[in-house]
Amino acid sequence: MYKPLVSIITPCYNGEKCVKRYFESILAQTYVNLELIFINDGSEDKTEEIVFLYQQKFKEKGVSFKYLKQKNAGQAAALNRGLKLFTGEYLIWPDSDDVLAPDSIEKKVLFLEKYQEYGMVRSNGFYYNEVTKEKKRISEKGSNSKEDIFEDLILLKTYGCCGCYMIRASLLKSIYPKLDIYESRYGQNWQILLPAASKTKCGYIDEDLYIVYEHDDSHSRRKHSSQDEIDRWNGFTDILLEAIQHSDCDQESIKKAIHKNCAENQFYYALGIKDKKKLKEIFRKLRYYGQPTLKEYLLYLKYMYVR
């Protein structure tokens, strides 16, 4: 029986503590026709030693393994390296510190093979706290089965966890013929997911097929200051504005929605900074892109004129 090739692209920076676990999850996959492209993004630990230990294991399993090393440039830049090399009919791009359930790839391939009208599919998954051993589903919302997720992705009303998604290579190549996504230090998922979601339905498998490991030194889980969060929203907004240029949508209205959502989120972080000039600047942006709520007006007046 014909089994289409699935490409797995994974950037990694300093993955010594977790990359063995990730590699073992690839080796444990019930789906056999796999291509793993692993990009070492300037790791300064023993990541490369572990990669060399697993090369033979992948060969014995029949997994095509490609290894690249570059100076640290961020996950999006590393992913771009992998996009130039992948040859599969389907693509996934999980993080190196997480884990795929054994049947994660097989179930997504079966879905896309059966339902040709879908350009991508996603599953649920769960967060696993390595200290407390607690598990929490990535999404508990009832809207996961929604097939049109474009606007929900823009407004962060749904999840963009990379390891939950699989996309057809033909769709990705129609979006990015040169296989170049916008490179940003603030992430790499929305550059793929947003344009894809504007062009196709997204299927849903209601199973936990991806595990996100939470640990103290994870950049995405680390606590950030209010100013850090304001900066992160600026970076994320840049990603969204770039991504919609490759999307099928009313760009002017979507741009306004993106800026409005950014200003609303930044407003609440700005309240935590003792900088009236910054708050005034953000509130002005909030008023420009949409009518502030009564609560936002009152909070602004209280901070600016009462304190």
Side-chain angles (χ1 to χ4, degrees):
M1 180 180 176
Y2 173 69
K3 289 185 177 294
L5 179 65
V6 176
S7 294
I8 309 165
I9 303 178
T10 297
C12 178
Y13 174 70
N14 287 348
E16 176 185 344
K17 295 180 180 179
C18 55
V19 74
K20 286 184 181 180
R21 181 178 62 205
Y22 172 71
F23 282 159
E24 289 293 337
S25 81
I26 301 298
L27 291 170
Q29 289 302 300
T30 56
Y31 194 84
V32 294
N33 195 15
L34 302 175
E35 170 185 72
L36 174 58
I37 302 171
F38 190 83
I39 303 97
N40 184 344
D41 186 33
S43 297
E44 300 171 336
D45 59 3
K46 296 181 179 179
T47 294
E48 187 166 69
E49 293 179 29
I50 297 170
V51 169
F52 292 152
L53 288 174
Y54 273 83
Q55 282 182 319
Q56 183 60 32
K57 292 184 179 183
F58 286 123
K59 184 177 181 180
E60 292 171 359
K61 182 73 174 181
V63 176
S64 173
F65 183 67
K66 300 174 183 177
Y67 174 62
L68 295 82
K69 187 176 183 180
Q70 65 180 28
K71 291 182 180 180
N72 180 254
Q75 285 190 308
L79 184 59
N80 265 338
R81 292 283 304 277
L83 288 175
K84 307 299 188 300
L85 298 176
F86 90 97
T87 59
E89 292 182 43
Y90 299 112
L91 173 69
I92 62 173
W93 60 104
D95 286 336
S96 63
D97 50 357
D98 298 329
V99 165
L100 295 167
D103 53 353
S104 178
I105 293 176
E106 182 174 22
K107 287 187 173 179
K108 289 168 186 169
V109 171
L110 287 173
F111 182 96
L112 291 174
E113 286 290 288
K114 182 177 181 179
Y115 302 105
Q116 294 291 321
E117 67 271 26
Y118 291 83
M120 61 180 180
V121 64
R122 62 179 177 168
S123 70
N124 213 321
F126 61 86
Y127 297 108
Y128 178 73
N129 190 302
E130 294 187 90
V131 178
T132 65
K133 312 301 181 186
E134 293 178 331
K135 296 197 305 185
K136 179 183 178 182
R137 292 199 94 190
I138 289 173
S139 178
E140 298 287 356
K141 297 177 181 178
S143 62
N144 295 336
S145 58
K146 187 177 180 181
E147 297 180 339
D148 180 5
I149 61 172
F150 177 66
E151 291 190 9
D152 284 351
L153 284 170
I154 287 175
L155 300 177
L156 296 186
K157 291 182 178 180
T158 192
Y159 57 98
C161 185
C162 57
C164 292
Y165 285 80
M166 177 179 284
I167 186 173
R168 295 184 190 275
S170 57
L171 174 59
L172 180 64
K173 291 174 181 177
S174 72
I175 298 167
Y176 296 109
K178 295 182 179 180
L179 293 174
D180 247 340
I181 66 169
Y182 177 61
E183 294 183 8
S184 169
R185 290 278 185 175
Y186 291 94
Q188 74 287 342
N189 296 335
W190 267 254
Q191 294 94 310
I192 294 176
L193 296 178
L194 204 55
S198 77
K199 298 173 184 291
T200 184
K201 296 187 295 183
C202 181
Y204 177 64
I205 301 171
D206 191 17
E207 296 183 43
D208 295 331
L209 301 181
Y210 190 63
I211 306 168
V212 178
Y213 278 78
E214 297 181 307
H215 44 88
D216 292 340
D217 55 352
S218 169
H219 177 74
S220 61
R221 300 290 161 202
R222 195 177 304 148
K223 287 186 177 181
H224 300 275
S225 69
S226 294
Q227 183 60 58
D228 288 338
E229 294 294 351
I230 289 171
D231 293 340
R232 279 157 60 89
W233 267 101
N234 283 331
F236 183 59
T237 298
D238 287 342
I239 289 174
L240 296 180
L241 293 174
E242 174 66 26
I244 64 169
Q245 294 185 41
H246 304 276
S247 304
D248 293 343
C249 64
D250 179 347
Q251 292 204 12
E252 289 308 310
S253 64
I254 296 297
K255 283 181 182 178
K256 184 175 181 180
I258 289 171
H259 282 296
K260 181 176 184 291
N261 193 43
C262 173
E264 286 177 342
N265 281 276
Q266 287 182 323
F267 173 77
Y268 287 97
Y269 286 116
L271 292 173
I273 301 175
K274 295 180 180 180
D275 186 340
K276 291 186 177 182
K277 182 179 179 181
K278 173 68 69 175
L279 182 62
K280 187 175 182 179
E281 172 190 325
I282 293 173
F283 190 73
R284 186 183 297 119
K285 184 166 64 172
L286 182 58
R287 292 184 65 184
Y288 182 81
Y289 288 108
Q291 183 67 29
T293 64
L294 177 60
K295 177 183 176 181
E296 289 163 347
Y297 263 118
L298 293 176
L299 285 171
Y300 175 73
L301 292 173
K302 178 180 178 181
Y303 188 93
M304 294 294 291
Y305 302 108
V306 177
R307 298 179 65 173

